[in-house]
Amino acid sequence: MASLFEVWLTGEDEEHLTAVGEAALDEISRIERLFSFFDPASEVSRINREAADRPVKVDVEMFGVLSDCLRRRGETGGYFDITIQSDGNIEDVVLDATARTVHFMSANVEVNLGGYGKGYALDAAGGVIREQAVASALLHGGTSSILAVGAQDDGTPWKIGLRDPYDESQSVGSVDLVDAGFSTSGVFHASQAESDIMNPQQRQRLTEQAACAVIAPTALDAEVWSTAFLAMGESQARGALLQRNASPLRVAWLSQDDGRTRITWLNEEIGQ
Amino acid sequence: MTYKPSNRREFLAGASGAALAAAAAGAAESQPPVRVAVVGTGARGSDLIRNLSTIESAEIVAVCDDYEPHLLHGHKFAGAQAKAFDNYSKMLKEMKPQAVVVATPLYLHHPMCLEAIDAGCHVFCEKTMCYSIDEARELADVVKKRGAVFQVGLQRRANAIYKQAQAMVQAGYLGRITAINCQWHRNNNWRRPVPVKRGEPKWSALEHRLNWRLYWDYSQGLMTELASHQMDIVNWLLGTPPKCVIGAGGIDYWRDGREVFDNIWCTYEYEVAPPKSNAVAGRTLDEENRYTVRVAYSSIQSNAYQGASELIMGDRGTLFFTQQKGLFYRELGVEDPGWSKDGRLDRDATIVTSGKTLKMSNDPWAHRGKPLEIDITGDDTREELLAFLDCVQREDPATISDAQNGLANTATVLIGNEATHSRQVTPFPTL
């Protein structure tokens, strides 16, 4: 993850809010320590180091996360894939629920929770905040993933401005969030020839400039789906959304038309 | 210089090879897992539970806490096979665990460790070992008499960075250690959220339970909660506990009803006999040439500029540690230690460039040269638990931080508090 996380809390008791804010940030650090791809002390590093040699026993939380990642891979038609940055294949990641182990069937495979961790950490921190009876909060990770807890203290929704991905000095609108997650993914910026995001079907980096924003019930849903939709491309994303009848996701596509940036809410287009 | 690592890579391999061999020996015996119970399932306890749950040589049979939200949290990490208890004595009696992990507030360490040992258990006790030196003395005594396997959770002893640093000090890389600075600086109120508002009837009891670190009845403040880790490293590297300490501290920033100091500054004096390997040509360094090393320790809660770090200063080199990274810098101006000029390709990792080059450099840190970086290889909490379980399986009382070390560590940090309270030079007690 290695992103900047920030937390806004509203309420009256500053001492309590400060303690809650620290607890929320502690929760994010805890998850970052477990999920980091680069920190040799993380659980993900331990798994990547050892799981090709033998089944690696993992904790309840990590097993849940890996299971969820495999489930979401199916749900997104393969467009969310935690092994995509490695030379291996996700079929080589074998989970055993009884022994609570993960085993790699190939030495080439590695898992990377980079496209998952920010959303997961925001939701977990949001849980800490709600547990401590703070009703109004906004959290973000690297400004690309956001979680709104409740609304603002005056009852109005949290308002999030969207930066124009084609002209970073401009805003192209805003979204309102109440108890919702939000995430943007993009193939950018202008000087960048290809994205960090890969198309798992073609195993290639995305090259066509586009951006996708998703509002979802949780920050994790938003993060996973914004990445998956972007990898699919606009028309396939529209199709996937159609298939998911009455989906709680709201999906915006940002593209350029005659030099002007256009936001298309795919849900509206398909009458959802 | 008696120890001559032929190159950096071999040296690194040598340091970690021993640990690998030990781990392999433990696994080869393929004993049944150790039946472990954990008492105290707050933040630290839950992290210990989580780590234990990833270790094949441990089976978490029970978790215990008398604060229900914490118990539920810890139980979730322990897994369904573990039984949850709100009563410690009942848990010991009913589950008869082989080993108990104690992660309760400091004031409970002594009674809970004694009860576990009395029930025939081996014990892993979080740092600091005891609330008072008298308690620590008694506990160390009982551990010895009963032959229990006992380990204090001073996990830097299991951290690859500190293990290699210790080897480097032994090998003379730093020359003679002359001064040490340790600090744990943070910029927050060190408070955990309390689920009811200040002033409500239940607030006081919950505040004391959850923010026990802030009150003298349960805690010894920054010295036991933070300094204990770093002062353990100091005692380890210098090979001895301190002689005496002076201290100053107070509550100067967080005047929120807390009792323990929110900033403390201690200066320790150590009397050190130089290891033979440090002998330098033209200088006799033996028992008669014992010298004093001063160690400055500070912990504050209103500025986090340098975080938690330790700076070990020797006349030939410097070690700078954080828990994630160790850096070694050579000093200029001392005689050529030989190993730096053996024509190895990787010598730039350990040698400072020549004086001429340095004069031309515009790098403000150039006098320190390019540091040798020492990296962690795994999570030190997991490593310390692996080491403990290995000792339990072999019934070997020589843990990486046994009760005697726990006693010395307790006394080291508590004389810092004592000196701060009394404003007197406070000697290290006879243990």
Side-chain angles (χ1 to χ4, degrees), chain B residues 147-167:
Chain B
V149 176
F150 189 96
Q151 186 172 317
V152 183
L154 292 162
Q155 70 266 22
R156 278 171 169 73
R157 299 240 176 185
N159 183 309
I161 295 174
Y162 294 98
K163 284 202 285 194
Q164 177 160 343
Q166 210 266 353

Side-chain angles (χ1 to χ4, degrees), chain B residues 359-370:
Chain B
K359 279 176 190 156
M360 293 164 69
S361 170
N362 62 0
D363 177 353
W365 300 111
H367 68 283
R368 303 201 299 201
K370 186 177 161 192

